[in-house]
Amino acid sequence: MRRLRQLAQRTPPGRERYIDLLRALAITMVVLGHWGVTVIGYDNGRPAGHSALGDLRWAWPLTWVAQVMPVFFLVGGYANAASLAARRRRGGSAAGWLVDRSARLVRPTTVLLLVLAAGAGIATLRGADPAQVRTVVWFATIPLWFLVAYVAVVALTPPMYALHRRFGLAVPTALVVLVALGDLGRLLGPAALADGNYLFGWLAVHQVGFAWYDTARADTHPADATGAGESAGPAADADATRARTRGLLRRRLPLSRRAGVLLLGGGLAALVLLTVAGPYPVAMLHVPGERLDNAAPPSVALMAAAVAQLGLILLLRRPAGRRLRRSGPWQAVLAVNAVVLTLFLWHLTAAVLLVGLLDALGVLPTPPVGSAAWWAWRVPWLLALAAVLAVLVAVFGPVEARTRRPAATGPAGAGGRRLRAGLAVAGYAGVLVGLLLNSLAPKAAPEPLGLPAPALVAYLAGAGLLRLLRSGPAGRRRPG
C-alpha cells in the first residue's frame, strides 16, 4: 500500500489517467466474461468446457459492450504512441523502443509457457495421455490468441505511427476498408481473403489510439505538437506552422461530449444495420454454429462496435477523470495495471486448476446452462476462480510488476543502429511465430510438453534474443 501511495503521489499532472482505467477495466471484463460464460461438463468422462452463448441468445446484444478487445487496442495505441514519442524526444531510436517495450509483454508470457510446459512434461512422465495434456494446455493458452495480434501491432508501431503523422485518420479508414474487403471474401469467397483482418482490424483501432494521443498532446503542448519554434524567418515560420497545424487537425480525435454522442449513435446504428438487417451475427464473441465470427477475424460489425464503444468512452471521460484525481480510485487502477498482463495470461489456468481440483474431489457441479442451479453457481464459481487467480498473481505477478524499462541511450553509429533494429525485428518475429504456431496447432494433438516443439523453440529463441538486446551495452540503464 505504501508503494502504491508513493506511485500515486509521483503521477505526473498531465498523465491521461483515464487510459489506465480503461486498460484495467478491459482486462477485468475479459477475465470475468470468460469465467462467467464458461460451461463445464463432461466429455467421455473428462471435464470439458464451452461457451454458454449458444444457449443464451438474449445475451448476444450484451456482447456489444462485453467484447472489450477494441478498448484494449485503443488504449494500447495511445500508450505506444506516447512512449515512442517520448523516446524520440530523448534522442532514442525506434529499435531501442521496440526492445524495451518487449520486456513487459515477453517476460510474463515466457513464465507462463515455461510453467505450463514443465507441468505438462511432469504429467506426461507420470503417464498422462499426451493428447489430453495438449487439450488442457491449449485451453490455458487461449489468451495467447489475443497476444499474437497485440505483439504484431506493437512491432508495427514505429512505421504505423509514421503513417499516422503523415496521413492521420485516413489510415484507420483505409484499414477498415480492407476489413470490409476481407468480409466480402468470407461472404462470397474465397474465405482466405479475410485472414488479413486479424491484423487490419486491430491495427485500425490501434491507429485511433494514436489520434487520441496526438489530441491530448496538442491540448497540453500546442507548440510542441505543431512543431513551432524553429526559426527560419517570420514568413517561413508562419507557413510552416500553418502546414503543421493542418496536419495536426487531420490527426486529431475529437474528444468532446458531442463527438461521443455522434460516435455512439452512429456506431449503434451501423451495428443494427449490419447484424439485424445484415449478414453478421448479433454476438461480438464466438458463438458455436454461427456462419461468421465477428472477432476471429475482426469484422466490419466489430469495427462498428468499436466506434460505439469509443463514443461511450468519450461520454464517460470527464466524470471518470474527476474521480481518478482521488487517491483511492487511482491507487486501485495502479494496482491492477501493475499486474494486468499476469491477470490476463493466467485467468484460464486458474479455471483449469479449479476444475481439476473439484473433479478430483468429485464435487464438480455441471448444471444445465440457464437453469436456476447454473445461475446460482455463477457467484461461488467466480469467487473461487478469483481466489485461485489471486494465488497465481501473488506468485507470478512480481515478474511483470518489477519489469524495469531501460532509459534511452544515445546512438551507437549507423551500423550499430541497423544491426540492433534487425535483431529486434528478428526477436519479435520469433516470438510471433512461436505464439502463432501454438494457437494454430490442434487442441487434441499428442504433445508431451503440451506445446508444439517448434512453437516453443521459436518463441524462446525470439524471447532470448530480445532479452540479450535488453541486457547488452545498448540496453543497460544509465547510473542515476
Side-chain angles (χ1 to χ4, degrees):
M1 291 298 296
R2 180 181 178 184
R3 183 171 180 270
L4 283 176
R5 284 195 298 270
Q6 292 174 342
L7 289 174
Q9 292 168 357
R10 293 200 301 265
T11 302
R15 185 181 182 92
E16 180 69 89
R17 301 185 183 198
Y18 190 39
I19 291 292
D20 299 274
L21 173 64
L22 291 174
R23 183 190 298 110
L25 283 177
I27 293 302
T28 301
M29 288 180 66
V30 168
V31 171
L32 294 177
H34 279 167
W35 288 349
V37 81
T38 298
V39 180
I40 302 299
Y42 281 95
D43 183 11
N44 295 323
R46 293 170 175 167
H50 66 274
S51 171
L53 283 177
D55 300 299
L56 302 174
R57 295 182 65 91
W58 59 266
W60 291 4
L62 300 180
T63 64
W64 294 3
V65 176
Q67 171 54 282
V68 290
M69 282 299 98
V71 177
F72 194 86
F73 278 91
L74 174 71
V75 169
Y78 184 104
N80 289 330
S83 62
L84 178 60
R87 169 62 64 94
R88 283 179 164 161
R89 285 194 297 270
R90 296 194 301 267
S93 66
W97 178 84
L98 282 173
V99 170
D100 293 348
R101 204 67 170 169
S102 70
R104 191 72 183 266
L105 293 172
V106 171
R107 288 186 66 189
T109 307
T110 302
V111 171
L112 172 73
L113 292 177
L114 290 178
V115 170
L116 290 177
I122 293 171
T124 301
L125 290 174
R126 292 175 63 88
D129 179 4
Q132 182 64 20
V133 168
R134 167 60 185 166
T135 299
V136 172
V137 172
W138 177 88
F139 185 82
T141 56
I142 286 176
L144 298 184
W145 263 113
F146 154 77
L147 203 61
V148 171
Y150 190 70
V151 170
V153 299
V154 170
L156 291 171
T157 290
M160 294 306 296
Y161 189 57
L163 283 176
H164 167 73
R165 299 287 293 182
R166 179 67 178 85
F167 299 106
L169 292 172
V171 179
T173 302
L175 289 167
V176 171
V177 171
L178 291 175
V179 171
L181 292 175
D183 281 358
L184 284 178
R186 285 202 282 180
L187 293 168
L188 305 176
L193 284 177
D195 290 346
N197 287 11
Y198 282 106
L199 183 60
F200 300 146
W202 298 129
L203 273 178
V205 182
H206 198 248
Q207 295 288 129
V208 177
F210 293 168
W212 187 342
Y213 168 72
D214 269 9
T215 303
R217 182 72 185 173
D219 290 343
T220 55
H221 301 83
D224 179 67
T226 60
E230 297 177 2
S231 178
D237 282 350
D239 290 343
T241 299
R242 281 194 295 270
R244 292 181 180 119
T245 301
R246 285 194 296 271
L248 176 63
L249 292 175
R250 287 197 303 270
R251 304 195 305 267
R252 292 192 64 168
L253 175 70
L255 301 179
S256 64
R257 288 184 59 83
R258 181 172 180 272
V261 170
L262 291 174
L263 290 170
L264 177 59
L268 289 176
L271 262 178
V272 171
L273 289 174
L274 291 167
T275 59
V276 177
Y280 296 91
V282 173
M284 293 297 116
L285 298 170
H286 174 67
V287 177
E290 285 293 309
R291 180 186 177 190
L292 296 175
D293 186 341
N294 281 315
S299 68
V300 169
L302 185 57
M303 296 297 97
V307 171
Q309 290 177 358
L310 176 58
L312 181 61
I313 286 169
L314 294 182
L315 288 175
L316 298 176
R317 178 172 174 254
R318 288 184 180 176
R322 287 193 294 268
R323 290 189 64 84
L324 289 174
R325 293 295 167 186
R326 302 175 185 175
S327 179
W330 180 232
Q331 287 184 46
V333 170
L334 289 174
V336 174
N337 275 283
V339 292
V340 69
L341 187 58
T342 304
L343 288 168
F344 177 73
L345 290 174
W346 289 92
H347 76 281
L348 290 183
T349 302
V352 169
L353 293 174
L354 180 61
V355 169
L357 175 62
L358 295 178
D359 177 59
L361 296 175
V363 294
L364 178 63
T366 57
V369 179
S371 65
W374 188 79
W375 284 110
W377 172 234
R378 293 301 89 189
V379 174
W381 168 247
L382 292 176
L383 291 176
L385 285 170
V388 176
L389 182 58
V391 174
L392 293 173
V393 170
V395 174
F396 300 109
V399 174
E400 177 183 4
R402 295 173 185 170
T403 299
R404 304 178 71 186
R405 295 175 181 169
T409 57
R417 289 195 299 270
R418 284 194 295 269
L419 176 61
R420 185 170 170 79
L423 292 175
V425 170
Y428 269 87
V431 167
L432 280 170
V433 169
L435 294 177
L436 189 59
L437 287 176
N438 173 68
S439 296
L440 293 175
K443 69 176 181 179
E447 296 288 354
L449 295 179
L451 302 160
L456 195 56
V457 170
Y459 176 86
L460 292 177
L465 180 55
L466 291 170
R467 179 69 182 88
L468 286 174
L469 290 171
R470 290 196 303 274
S471 61
R476 291 180 186 145
R477 292 183 67 89
R478 288 177 175 176

